[in-house]
Amino acid sequence: MGLFKAGSMVYKPVKEVDLSRESSEFYLHANVKAPRMAGILVKIFAWFLESRIFGTFLLYILKGNNLIHKLIRDAELEEPPVYNPLHPFEDLKEQDVTCIGSDLTPSEQVKLAVDCLPVSSGKTLNGSDLHFRRWTISDYSRAYSCGEITPLVVAERFLAAVGESSKPPLQMSFFINYDAEDILRQATASTHRYKQGLPISVLDGVPIAIKDEIDCKPYPTTGGTKWLHKRRPCTDDAHCVERLRLCGAILVGKTNMHELGAGTSGINPHYGATRNPYDPSRISGGSSSGSAAAVAAGLCPVALGVDGGGSVRIPASLCGVVGLKPTFGRLPHTGVLPLNWTVGMVGILAGSIEDAFIVYAAMNGELQLHPSPTLPKICFPLLNKTTPINIKLAKSVEWFNDCSDDIRTCCNNALDKLYKRHGWKTVEVTIPEIEAMRLAHYLTIGSECSTSLSSHLQKMNFAELGWDARVALAVYGAFSGKEYIKAQQIRNRQMQFHKNIFSQADVIVTPTTGVTAYSILNDALKTGELDYVNGAALVRYSIAGNFLGLPAVTVPVGYDKTGLPIGLQFIGRPWSEATLIHIAFAMQALCISVYKKPEVFYDLLQKNEVHQEICEAKELNGTRPTSGLNV
Ligand SMILES: *[C@@H]1O[C@H](CO)[C@@H](O)[C@H](O)[C@H]1NC(C)=O
Ligand SMILES: *[C@@H]1O[C@H](CO)[C@@H](O)[C@H](O)[C@H]1NC(C)=O
């Protein structure tokens, strides 16, 4: 990457950096210097940071120790800053896609997406070699259409399940807010539509949960805090939520999240630590913790999250579900808390890639985040093709390997399967300056977060904030203009490196996280915790998706020795969601036979075989809804 001069980094010009496997660029392991803190220690630490004299001194030491001075503030770089990761739309000419018109309604788009799915018989687990799979949108839609169950019954089961999971002994803390009356009202309307034979789309009557950072009537938008909603009332649905409502989805409440999205554990001191359905003594990951855990536990096939630094992909990976973060600017962002402007994106958590695709199709279009000169075309992957597409994967070996042994082995096995089954080759490359990018992103998201909240923070009583959020805000507030701009120069370099990698391969492949779900310790429950070592391992592979605006998807590929889920991530070219969905679909098909049922799981459809047979018989006579998993 360059050389250290008098303790600070002198970066080589981008064009002199060698990105091949044999490159002499070294991989700098994250060298986080901060002990884990919780309980009284976090409080003392926050007090020190907030005190004018000690705080300034302490922050200076912390930034220095954690290489922010060396790699960013004092670094010498010649590239000008790039402030915004919005990529001009380029027609990628992706393989096996169909591009849709720009004048369609959300439900028409959903219909076209469903048409791209392979037709399967909708068989349940009986008679197949699957251990476990979650019910998909198509399963719900089929069960409603043939009268096997109604949305109202599903809503009642949902409410009972959330009630049970919220209370001791489970205390899963999936939701911040849900309103039984509102849910039953939506379910009754949907039931009525099915009775008349007029469902709006396959999403009609399907429960979908929303991260409490996205506006959704009739709920306040707390952002995981006890105060933000009092100062910023929610007056309308966010655009993405409105589009789902237009498709008939039942919006089942607001999911728990890390306070202000300012952390990755999902431990929220006000609304409880979201627990991992695969092991309730462990974290679910964050910040979209409740959305991931609710999907994993079977409470809804899909939930929305927001991903500013891996916040969708990290909890998806830790909870064993799919996480899709589209290209920056792809989905409408109106009605999402503006906690930052250039790194966050609405994302989707789902039990299967098909369901992530259907919801992506529903939300896509209209009102881009920033008007782009050429409006990006919307293309859908033809997953019904039997001949697979041809893909080349890029892997930066040292970075890829910087994770736990179980994760490395499991992710490498998954790549072997892709190679054996589809012949997809992996080219080895070097992606330099990963740690500098992580720090530059941290400076950026932190500066944007403290700026966006500044008018509130001046007036507020800090006692309303959790302790770990107070520490985060103190650190965020200490970044300088110079540091921010240097970070954007790093952004420019990385945009160029990645462009170069994408001229050699279609996607970059990495594990999704460096560690699996770690334990929730009791001292963290009231104060939150600071665990920057685990935090850095969780975000290790997420940053390019946010800082560079690239689309990315995580797919569950297996479990570690203790049975905790492991995700594999594919990062794509700007606007290449269709290809990413294709790849994720192929990966899922090769791993689905090992999927396991979580310890905490609710079966909202509770298929009963007699009903099923009636249903199958009816389907044979009429027009059969297309479906779900092709197994
Ligand atoms: C796949 O889906 C597309 C889009 O709906 C359709 O036009 C095409 O005929 C389908 N192909 C197959 C092999 O089913
Ligand atoms: C940045 O914004 C995104 C989306 O608004 C959110 O998910 C994330 O938590 C935010 N992070 C911070 C540190 O503000």
Side-chain angles (χ1 to χ4, degrees):
M1 62 169 101
L3 45 105
F4 279 112
K5 195 171 82 186
S8 62
M9 180 60 79
V10 180
Y11 289 93
K12 277 192 240 173
V14 165
K15 49 185 179 314
E16 288 171 25
V17 178
D18 175 8
L19 304 183
S20 70
R21 166 69 171 128
E22 298 74 32
S23 169
S24 58
E25 301 298 320
F26 60 91
Y27 175 77
L28 183 65
H29 290 266
N31 184 19
V32 179
K33 294 215 176 111
R36 176 186 179 274
M37 283 186 226
I40 184 78
L41 279 180
V42 186
K43 295 190 188 180
I44 295 172
F45 192 55
W47 282 324
F48 270 120
L49 286 179
E50 286 166 5
S51 87
R52 207 163 283 258
I53 298 175
F54 273 124
T56 313
F57 179 68
L58 197 55
L59 285 162
Y60 185 84
I61 305 277
L62 279 176
K63 289 192 324 191
N65 265 345
N66 288 290
L67 298 182
I68 287 185
H69 297 164
K70 273 187 190 166
L71 291 183
I72 315 266
R73 190 195 66 185
D74 301 331
E76 290 179 30
L77 344 80
E78 63 178 41
E79 291 75 22
V82 166
Y83 295 97
N84 192 311
L86 187 67
H87 298 266
F89 178 73
E90 267 177 81
D91 197 341
L92 296 171
K93 309 226 161 35
E94 293 167 279
Q95 306 164 53
D96 284 354
V97 300
T98 171
C99 296
I100 66 167
S102 56
D103 51 349
L104 304 174
T105 64
S107 57
E108 285 166 344
Q109 293 189 180
V110 163
K111 167 90 176 58
L112 290 181
V114 171
D115 288 345
C116 294
L117 300 180
V119 175
S120 87
S121 62
K123 277 221 183 61
T124 51
L125 300 186
N126 312 335
S128 78
D129 56 355
L130 292 182
H131 295 289
F132 167 70
R133 74 174 181 91
R134 293 181 176 79
W135 298 125
T136 63
I137 291 170
S138 300
D139 293 324
Y140 278 89
S141 158
R142 182 187 292 111
Y144 295 153
S145 291
C146 66
E148 197 179 317
I149 194 169
T150 65
L152 192 55
V153 173
V154 164
E156 282 160 358
R157 287 185 185 167
F158 169 87
L159 290 169
V162 176
E164 184 195 297
S165 68
S166 309
K167 286 197 288 266
L170 287 174
Q171 290 182 299
M172 301 300 284
S173 305
F174 294 137
F175 284 83
I176 286 179
N177 225 323
Y178 66 98
D179 178 333
E181 210 175 300
D182 180 66
I183 294 169
L184 293 172
R185 193 187 46 72
Q186 296 176 71
T188 307
S190 172
T191 301
H192 186 66
R193 290 193 289 271
Y194 277 100
K195 288 243 161 75
Q196 294 183 309
L198 294 171
I200 303 172
S201 76
V202 284
L203 285 172
D204 206 329
V206 174
I208 295 186
I210 309 289
K211 183 184 188 182
D212 206 7
E213 183 178 337
I214 304 175
D215 287 343
C216 176
K217 287 189 297 186
Y219 306 99
T221 308
T222 68
T225 70
K226 282 285 187 195
W227 55 274
L228 192 49
H229 48 291
K230 296 182 213 154
R231 294 175 177 75
R232 181 196 168 280
C234 164
T235 52
D236 214 342
D237 281 340
H239 269 278
C240 52
V241 171
E242 187 189 343
R243 293 179 69 97
L244 294 176
R245 226 189 259 283
L246 287 171
C247 294
I250 303 182
L251 302 161
V252 289
K254 306 299 293 288
T255 54
N256 202 354
M257 61 180 282
H258 203 106
E259 184 170 10
L260 292 173
T264 47
S265 67
I267 297 175
N268 184 310
H270 316 294
Y271 301 104
T274 309
R275 296 178 176 276
N276 194 313
Y278 280 89
D279 176 352
S281 72
R282 303 208 172 230
I283 62 163
S284 55
S287 62
S288 311
S289 48
S291 291
V295 170
L299 293 172
C300 44
V302 186
L304 297 192
V306 186
D307 192 320
S311 283
V312 161
R313 291 161 286 156
I314 293 166
S317 171
L318 265 46
C319 293
V321 300
V322 168
L324 173 66
K325 186 232 145 257
T327 312
F328 183 72
R330 174 65 100 174
L331 297 179
H333 215 259
T334 324
V336 180
L337 289 183
L339 293 176
N340 48 68
W341 296 279
T342 70
V343 289
M345 260 306 294
V346 171
I348 302 160
L349 300 108
S352 69
I353 187 66
E354 294 90 323
D355 285 358
F357 170 36
I358 291 173
V359 166
Y360 167 76
M363 297 195 298
N364 211 324
E366 178 180 277
L367 284 162
Q368 307 301 322
L369 174 54
H370 301 277
S372 156
T374 36
L375 221 55
K377 249 204 275 183
I378 304 174
C379 299
F380 291 162
L382 293 169
L383 301 178
N384 61 356
K385 284 271 176 91
T386 42
T387 47
I389 57 175
N390 196 8
I391 291 292
K392 205 188 239 179
L393 309 145
K395 172 176 171 185
S396 188
V397 180
E398 274 177 282
W399 181 38
F400 187 102
N401 287 343
D402 190 8
C403 56
S404 75
D405 294 344
D406 286 0
I407 295 180
R408 192 181 319 116
T409 310
C410 178
C411 289
N412 276 320
N413 284 345
L415 288 182
D416 282 348
K417 287 185 198 166
L418 280 179
Y419 176 69
K420 286 198 187 110
R421 180 65 182 269
H422 299 303
W424 293 356
K425 293 211 176 72
T426 303
V427 286
E428 296 188 347
V429 297
T430 295
I431 303 178
E433 302 164 24
I434 293 284
E435 178 62 3
M437 174 161 69
R438 183 180 73 83
L439 294 172
H441 166 269
Y442 184 59
L443 280 165
T444 304
I445 195 167
S447 304
E448 292 188 7
C449 182
S450 72
T451 307
S452 75
L453 295 174
S454 60
S455 62
H456 302 304
L457 294 177
Q458 276 161 12
K459 284 176 256 162
M460 78 175 288
N461 171 9
F462 269 55
E464 284 186 283
L465 275 167
W467 292 97
D468 71 318
R470 282 170 71 162
V471 168
L473 288 173
V475 175
Y476 291 173
F479 297 139
S480 70
K482 179 174 162 191
E483 284 165 340
Y484 182 80
I485 293 178
K486 289 265 170 109
Q488 310 315 303
Q489 292 183 271
I490 302 267
R491 166 128 70 176
N492 183 350
R493 292 174 70 79
Q494 286 295 341
M495 300 268 268
Q496 296 188 52
F497 292 145
H498 280 73
K499 195 166 182 173
N500 187 323
I501 303 275
F502 287 127
S503 68
Q504 306 171 43
D506 301 292
V507 287
I508 297 167
V509 63
T510 72
T512 308
T513 59
V515 290
T516 51
Y518 57 85
S519 295
I520 299 173
L521 303 181
N522 278 338
D523 59 357
L525 294 177
K526 291 243 159 56
T527 55
E529 74 179 346
L530 303 174
D531 186 343
Y532 292 110
V533 174
N534 270 320
L538 286 178
V539 303
R540 178 155 305 142
Y541 304 103
S542 291
I543 301 305
N546 306 101
F547 202 41
L548 313 179
L550 301 171
V553 66
T554 173
V555 189
V557 290
Y559 303 84
D560 70 6
K561 284 193 197 71
T562 54
L564 296 165
I566 293 173
L568 184 69
Q569 174 182 236
F570 302 95
I571 306 167
R573 297 188 177 101
W575 313 112
S576 70
E577 287 87 352
T579 298
L580 283 180
I581 294 169
H582 253 304
I583 296 171
F585 182 71
M587 190 75 264
Q588 175 183 277
L590 295 175
C591 295
I592 197 164
S593 61
V594 305
Y595 287 178
K596 287 196 241 179
K597 186 167 163 176
E599 219 172 294
V600 176
F601 182 75
Y602 297 94
D603 179 351
L604 299 190
L605 288 186
Q606 271 170 30
K607 293 249 180 196
N608 130 355
E609 270 174 48
V610 179
H611 274 156
Q612 231 166 270
E613 275 162 27
I614 299 172
C615 219
E616 275 163 20
K618 273 195 202 168
E619 282 175 359
L620 285 181
N621 300 329
T623 45
R624 179 152 53 81
T626 47
S627 109
L629 297 181
N630 186 19
V631 289

